Amino acid sequence: MDAKPTFIHPTALVETGAQLGANVRIGPFCHVGSDVTLGDDVELMSHVSITGPTEIGAGCTVHPQAVLGGAPQNAAYKGEPTRLIVGRNVTIREGVTMHRGTGNARGETVVGDHCMFLAYSHVAHDCIIGDHVTFANNVMIGGHVTIGDRVIVGGGGAIHQFCTIGNNAFIGGLTGVAHDVIPYGLAMGSRAYLSGLNLVGMKRAGMSREQIGRVRQAFNELFADNGLSVRDNARRLASDFADIEPVQQIVHFVLEQAKRQLTTPLSGAGARKAEGRAE
């Protein structure tokens, strides 16, 4: 099958060396740098700036004033060749910014498939974003943040550098996250605390009422005021809930994936002595 034609508006600037897939559409006043790769069916609506090295996956749509692939906002960056990689079928709305990695860290910023970044949200250097992630307007994340699959961050949410957000977590609007958030966690407040589980997300994921009930039981036991640390409780949950996959995800996160202190409920053992740091 012959490739579909690519359209480049006469006012757009596409530098020599840029690689364009089939049926790419580049609208008025866009700038595509020489180290940029655009996959099939990518659309840059207008006034989009993409520098590189940056790869934009097939089927992505980028709205006006987005700036992708810029140098990291990091004083340690000295011009090393680093990358931004954006997956397939990602929607990038007005004014979104995404920066490349740094030379002394991962060296690349990676965004997964089927994500949506609403207006003026920001992805900093060396971040890893999973699949089906949604950032509402004005979300800000610092460098080296890792965000799991199907995470939603509400408008104006801010995530501290080096934080890890587990799969299927929900971060409320205007919430500042300074510590890691467990999978399926629901984080709220100007300084984030766990207000419970992301029950809506769990239902959307097809979990049964019985499964959800068991995960809620495990959540209560994880942060119980029983004289044990959160890590000790997690080790016990590993055997007590061996047949509940979401609980095992939470246990693995607490014991293996969390790198910073955990975001915890306002009361219980977790509020006083959560041991979320990796050892």
Side-chain angles (χ1 to χ4, degrees):
M1 181 181 295
D2 294 335
K4 296 179 181 180
T6 288
F7 170 78
I8 303 174
H9 193 275
T11 62
L13 173 60
V14 179
E15 295 184 12
T16 301
Q19 300 182 42
L20 309 183
N23 199 34
V24 168
R25 298 186 63 82
I26 301 177
F29 303 104
C30 292
H31 174 214
V32 179
S34 60
D35 294 321
V36 172
T37 299
L38 303 180
D40 296 346
D41 301 302
V42 167
E43 180 179 8
L44 312 183
M45 298 184 71
S46 73
H47 298 84
V48 173
S49 177
I50 307 181
T51 57
T54 295
E55 301 175 18
I56 307 296
C60 291
T61 301
V62 186
H63 288 247
Q65 308 299 334
V67 180
L68 309 178
Q73 296 178 136
N74 187 328
Y77 180 69
K78 305 301 180 185
E80 301 92 342
T82 58
R83 299 192 298 169
L84 166 67
I85 302 172
V86 177
R88 301 168 61 89
N89 301 312
V90 174
T91 298
I92 299 173
R93 294 301 303 252
E94 298 83 356
V96 169
T97 51
M98 298 182 179
H99 292 166
R100 304 193 311 273
T102 53
N104 62 349
R106 290 171 177 152
E108 60 185 21
T109 302
V110 179
V111 174
D113 299 336
H114 307 288
C115 296
M116 179 174 288
F117 297 88
L118 301 190
Y120 302 103
S121 54
H122 173 66
V123 177
H125 60 87
D126 301 290
C127 289
I128 297 179
I129 311 296
D131 298 334
H132 300 279
V133 169
T134 299
F135 281 12
N137 295 49
N138 301 300
V139 167
M140 305 163 286
I141 66 172
H144 311 275
V145 167
T146 300
I147 293 184
D149 296 339
R150 294 180 174 83
V151 169
I152 298 175
V153 185
I159 301 176
H160 196 281
Q161 60 262 37
F162 293 99
C163 278
T164 301
I165 310 298
N167 293 341
N168 297 283
F170 185 97
I171 311 300
L174 300 177
T175 294
V177 179
H179 307 306
D180 293 353
V181 177
I182 62 171
Y184 303 97
L186 175 61
M188 307 288 288
S190 59
R191 289 294 180 264
Y193 65 91
L194 278 186
S195 65
L197 292 168
N198 180 16
L199 299 179
V200 172
M202 295 165 76
K203 292 174 182 177
R204 288 176 178 173
M207 293 176 59
S208 67
R209 176 177 292 186
E210 180 182 0
Q211 278 185 308
I212 292 173
R214 292 279 281 158
V215 178
R216 294 180 75 172
Q217 179 185 353
F219 177 88
N220 291 333
E221 293 184 18
L222 180 65
F223 297 107
D225 189 4
N226 59 2
L228 299 177
S229 71
V230 172
R231 278 181 170 270
D232 288 338
N233 286 336
R235 294 184 181 100
R236 184 171 52 82
L237 294 177
S239 58
D240 292 352
F241 293 82
D243 58 332
I244 308 298
E245 176 57 29
V247 176
Q248 295 304 307
Q249 291 181 33
I250 294 172
V251 168
H252 178 72
F253 184 90
V254 172
L255 298 180
E256 303 293 340
Q257 291 181 287
K259 297 178 175 60
R260 298 175 62 85
Q261 184 176 339
L262 288 173
T263 300
T264 63
L266 289 178
S267 61
R272 297 192 298 276
K273 55 180 179 180
E275 294 181 356
R277 295 185 182 278
E279 297 176 349

